[in-house]
Amino acid sequence: MRPDILRQIFYFAIYVLLQLPVLYRLVLFDSAFGFFYVGFILFLPRLQNRMTSLLLAFLSGLLVDIFSNTLGIHALASTLIAYVRIPWLVFTRGVDDDDAPISVFALGLSGLLLYVIPLIFLHHSVIFLVEHGSFSLFGTTLKRIVLSTLFTSTLLVTTNYLLATKRRRL
């Protein structure tokens, strides 16, 4: 097997399988949920086939849905951020064809935060708004979205810093 495929299997195991038994039950202040598996989608290689990225995002979201009994909400949100992640990266960084990995060492901390936080916010907005089903408690829902975005972003940036290899900066 090619090393990049083995690396993706390893990352899938870390992000998705750690999400299910451990981080799914970790809730801070009854408002901040850590959706760690989103990191698998956000840090997929930039040059990966778009259909492959969408399929992997759908499958990772579906796996979380199956074990959390959420009827496709995670699959929807995951597929959406997989669809917009490369255009968002091109918009924020102006880079399209570079093969450098998406990491804190390649983008810098501010570049990584500019890439990660809006996509996580979008992901969490879809999850919490669809889950709630209305705008009747919009303040509470918005609080959950913002706190969960901060919590998940902190988890992902820290993990990316620990797992990413040092390569050239874009």
Side-chain angles (χ1 to χ4, degrees), residues 17-48:
L17 298 179
L18 189 62
Q19 169 73 40
L20 296 173
V22 178
L23 293 172
Y24 191 73
R25 300 189 195 313
L26 181 64
V27 179
L28 298 178
F29 310 114
D30 199 33
S31 296
F33 297 84
F35 296 115
F36 189 65
Y37 75 95
V38 175
F40 173 71
I41 301 159
L42 293 177
F43 300 127
L44 282 171
R46 188 181 332 209
L47 296 178
Q48 185 162 356

Side-chain angles (χ1 to χ4, degrees), residues 23 49-50 52 64 73 85 95 115 120 127 142 159-160:
L23 293 172
N49 182 336
R50 190 163 192 174
T52 305
V64 172
I73 296 172
R85 75 182 186 95
V95 177
Y115 166 69
I120 292 173
I127 287 178
L142 184 62
T159 305
N160 185 267

Side-chain angles (χ1 to χ4, degrees), residues 43 67 69 73 126 132 145 154 167:
F43 300 127
F67 286 99
N69 199 19
I73 296 172
V126 169
H132 188 62
I145 292 168
T154 303
R167 281 187 64 183

Side-chain angles (χ1 to χ4, degrees), residues 9-10 13 32 40-41 43 49 70 77 87 89 99 109-110 113 115 124 147:
I9 292 170
F10 174 71
F40 173 71
I41 301 159
F43 300 127
N49 182 336
T70 50
L89 187 64
D99 67 341
L109 181 60
S110 62
L113 290 175
Y115 166 69
H124 291 6
L147 291 176

Side-chain angles (χ1 to χ4, degrees), residues 56-134:
L56 289 172
F58 176 76
L59 291 175
S60 64
L62 186 63
L63 188 63
V64 172
D65 281 327
I66 289 169
F67 286 99
S68 60
N69 199 19
T70 50
L71 301 174
I73 296 172
H74 292 275
L76 168 70
S78 299
T79 306
L80 177 64
I81 64 166
Y83 184 75
V84 300
R85 75 182 186 95
I86 295 300
W88 177 249
L89 187 64
V90 170
F91 176 74
T92 58
R93 300 294 297 170
V95 177
D96 187 25
D97 59 350
D98 194 86
D99 67 341
I102 299 172
S103 71
V104 68
F105 299 115
L107 299 174
L109 181 60
S110 62
L112 185 68
L113 290 175
L114 187 63
Y115 166 69
V116 165
I117 290 176
L119 291 176
I120 292 173
F121 184 82
L122 175 65
H123 178 269
H124 291 6
S125 297
V126 169
I127 287 178
F128 290 119
L129 289 173
V130 170
E131 182 180 55
H132 188 62
S134 74

Side-chain angles (χ1 to χ4, degrees), residues 4-19:
D4 56 334
I5 294 173
L6 289 175
R7 186 177 309 124
Q8 290 307 315
I9 292 170
F10 174 71
Y11 286 152
F12 182 82
I14 287 175
Y15 285 111
V16 177
L17 298 179
L18 189 62
Q19 169 73 40

